[in-house]
Amino acid sequence: LRLTDLRWLRTRRGDANQLGMAVQLCALRHLGFIPDDLAATPPEVVDPVADRLAVEASVFDAYLELDDRTVRDHRALIMRHAGWVLCGRGEWKQLHDWLVERALEHDDTTVLFRDALAHLRSNQVLRPSLNELMRAVGTARTRADQELFDRLTPQLDTERRSRLDDLIKTDAGLGVAPLVWIHTKATKATAASITAEIRKRDLLEQVGAMSLDVTMIAPERRRQLAAFGRRST
């Protein structure tokens, strides 16, 4: 708690109100939201806050007995004091747009979720429900995939698409799909192995892979897409 926080809290009537609001203020800043179940707050959290306020930690029990309306009013005061805002329509749009840009660089769900939490906290926006946030991450990933495809579309004419599609079709001569064959590494330094590697390069040139410009895709995203291609059956 900052000095300004202590001065503000001491304007509240009663030790219980001061401690209860202080606990919620600390939760808001450290967690990005205020838990609904204040009764689950561990003593390890309440005791240091009580010491900082110079009040008895036991008065927190009295705060838990307040009616829901009073607690909601307190939360509104806490958010106003701390400078935080609810995640309204404008904040949601900003978060969605930011997540799409982040998803264009990295598609990992865990990373996007963690970064979304950090983004909300840094902008002092109250965290929405986890369910809503996960849906936002999923939507951002879908939009990012479409954005990547749109960026590549000008280069993907009908002929090139057909050739790229053929890479995942089983080739009778190879016995596997060309995409699998391309990723098969040479095991011996023989003439046959060298010839096979040359054939792979020739195939890539034929499908236009060597001339495909992917510089508009972030390096990390290119590595992810390449890994996805290697894992694909």
Side-chain angles (χ1 to χ4, degrees):
L1 293 171
R2 305 163 187 167
L3 182 59
T4 54
D5 297 330
L6 294 175
R7 290 172 178 169
W8 177 75
L9 287 165
R10 283 166 182 158
T11 64
R12 304 295 103 190
R13 181 179 299 175
D15 292 351
N17 285 341
Q18 292 180 21
L19 180 55
M21 295 177 74
V23 169
Q24 293 177 88
L25 176 60
C26 292
L28 177 63
R29 287 186 174 143
H30 288 279
L31 301 177
F33 69 101
I34 300 175
D36 291 328
D37 186 11
L38 291 177
T41 307
E44 292 81 5
V45 172
V46 177
D47 292 347
V49 177
D51 289 342
R52 181 73 168 139
L53 284 170
V55 300
E56 293 293 330
S58 59
V59 301
F60 188 66
D61 293 335
Y63 187 82
L64 297 177
E65 297 177 0
L66 294 178
D67 59 90
D68 293 341
R69 180 176 180 179
T70 301
V71 175
R72 286 197 301 269
D73 291 343
H74 285 177
R75 290 182 177 182
L77 292 172
I78 292 166
M79 289 184 61
R80 190 179 307 124
H81 166 75
W84 284 59
V85 296
L86 295 172
C87 193
R89 181 177 299 180
E91 288 76 20
W92 264 118
K93 184 180 185 308
Q94 182 184 32
L95 176 62
H96 277 294
D97 292 344
W98 182 86
L99 275 172
V100 171
E101 290 300 318
R102 188 71 181 90
L104 288 170
E105 300 173 0
H106 201 295
D107 189 48
D108 187 274
T109 304
T110 303
V111 172
L112 290 174
F113 184 79
R114 182 192 62 202
D115 288 351
L117 293 175
H119 177 77
L120 290 169
R121 188 180 295 111
S122 66
N123 287 278
Q124 295 187 308
V125 176
L126 190 69
R127 194 209 74 187
S129 70
L130 294 179
N131 186 41
E132 291 177 308
L133 199 55
M134 284 302 298
R135 286 205 303 267
V137 169
T139 300
R141 295 179 68 206
T142 300
R143 285 180 55 188
D145 286 342
Q146 184 60 48
E147 175 64 23
L148 291 176
F149 183 77
D150 291 344
R151 292 181 182 185
L152 292 171
T153 294
Q155 303 179 70
L156 299 176
D157 54 34
T158 303
E159 182 179 358
R160 174 173 274 174
R161 289 192 190 192
S162 177
R163 289 177 176 176
L164 290 173
D165 286 341
D166 288 340
L167 290 177
I168 60 174
K169 298 177 183 177
T170 300
D171 183 276
L174 298 172
V176 294
L179 182 63
V180 176
W181 175 64
I182 289 172
H183 288 135
T184 304
K185 297 181 180 180
T187 56
K188 298 179 181 180
T190 62
S193 296
I194 294 174
T195 301
E197 294 304 305
I198 294 174
R199 288 175 58 201
K200 292 176 185 177
R201 181 179 177 84
D202 290 343
L203 176 60
L204 290 174
E205 290 180 344
Q206 290 171 15
V207 300
M210 309 297 282
S211 59
L212 188 64
D213 181 13
V214 293
T215 56
M216 74 289 293
I217 303 177
E220 178 60 29
R221 197 70 161 86
R222 291 203 299 267
R223 284 192 288 269
Q224 288 180 332
L225 291 170
F228 176 76
R230 287 193 295 270
R231 293 194 304 268
S232 298
T233 60

